[in-house]
Amino acid sequence: MALTLDEAVGQLGHRLSPKRRSAALRLRRLADPAAGPSLLEALRWEVSDIRTWETQYQLVMALGACGHRPALGLIRELAQRPFEATMVYTALGDTVVRLSTPDEAARSLRWCLEAGTPMLADGALRAVAMQRLVLDAATIDHVLDFLDPLDAHDGLRFWAAAAAAGWPGPRVTEFLRGCAAGPRADVADAAASSLQGKYRTYSPL
């Protein structure tokens, strides 16, 4: 039986990391803002142990799902720390964008792109795609300028290709056509859908 909100919050303090991780995943799925303060407290404690990166990932993602904006300061701070498990950066980039207001989202995306951490950028672009955010022209150009120098096999193009279904302009069309003709099947499939103006449904980890 699935944990209730209260049970999951209580399990965040369990001595075993897999139990804490399953609680965080449950709270991520519930996406109840009431869990935000407990998740933030749990993350502050969890990041002291480099071995529990999978639990850290789920805690960060749960904070984004719950929309707990008071966590944004810590999330940005963690994004500038060294992590051996780079997947944590993906969650941090995703959550930076999710916790930003609509007016802040483009600025937050740029911040992630400019940080020099590829997986942080990947997470931010994932959040843009998952939320189907339509960016302003200047931010779209910023994204495409960021992606242009990358090798055709680079997976960072994937989430941009998925997000671009709602982006206007000839440069976006050129980008998508290039992706659709590229060597990576996942990027090509996402771009082909976006060229038709169709968003696809994705289920990130």
Side-chain angles (χ1 to χ4, degrees):
M1 184 178 294
L3 295 173
T4 66
L5 174 69
D6 288 344
E7 288 170 341
V9 167
Q11 194 167 298
L12 290 175
H14 199 281
R15 65 182 180 85
L16 297 177
S17 180
K19 287 289 189 179
R20 299 194 299 274
R21 181 164 65 250
S22 65
L25 180 58
R26 175 61 176 158
L27 293 171
R28 176 183 170 188
R29 290 172 175 163
L30 289 173
D32 190 325
S38 297
L39 285 164
L40 179 55
E41 180 181 355
L43 179 61
R44 290 186 190 279
W45 182 86
E46 197 73 43
V47 292
S48 64
D49 189 343
I50 62 172
R51 298 170 299 174
T52 65
W53 68 268
E54 292 171 294
T55 302
Q56 294 166 30
Y57 176 95
Q58 293 298 343
L59 285 167
V60 172
M61 291 299 294
L63 282 163
C66 292
H68 191 60
R69 281 183 52 79
L72 190 53
L74 177 61
I75 297 299
R76 283 179 172 266
E77 177 191 328
L78 293 176
Q80 298 172 78
R81 288 190 194 178
F83 284 95
E84 290 184 16
T86 56
M87 275 295 292
V88 177
Y89 291 118
T90 304
L92 291 166
D94 187 300
T95 299
V96 164
V97 173
R98 288 182 186 274
L99 294 183
S100 300
T101 66
D103 291 340
E104 297 169 343
R107 193 180 319 119
S108 294
L109 172 60
R110 291 187 184 210
W111 184 83
C112 290
L113 296 180
E114 293 166 1
T117 305
M119 296 301 281
L120 189 71
D122 190 58
L125 289 168
R126 183 176 75 180
V128 171
M130 295 293 292
Q131 296 182 102
R132 302 181 178 182
L133 299 181
V134 178
L135 304 175
D136 61 271
T139 302
I140 291 172
D141 280 339
H142 195 91
V143 171
L144 298 181
D145 288 343
F146 172 79
L147 296 173
D148 276 348
L150 302 181
D151 183 88
H153 290 86
D154 199 309
L156 281 178
R157 285 189 170 84
F158 175 77
W159 287 113
W167 298 355
R171 191 179 177 195
V172 174
T173 302
E174 180 184 358
F175 164 72
L176 289 173
R177 286 175 177 166
C179 288
R184 285 189 60 124
D186 56 346
V187 176
D189 287 347
S193 292
S194 290
L195 279 167
Q196 300 175 43
K198 297 177 181 178
Y199 285 106
R200 299 182 65 178
T201 300
Y202 299 98
S203 300
L205 296 175

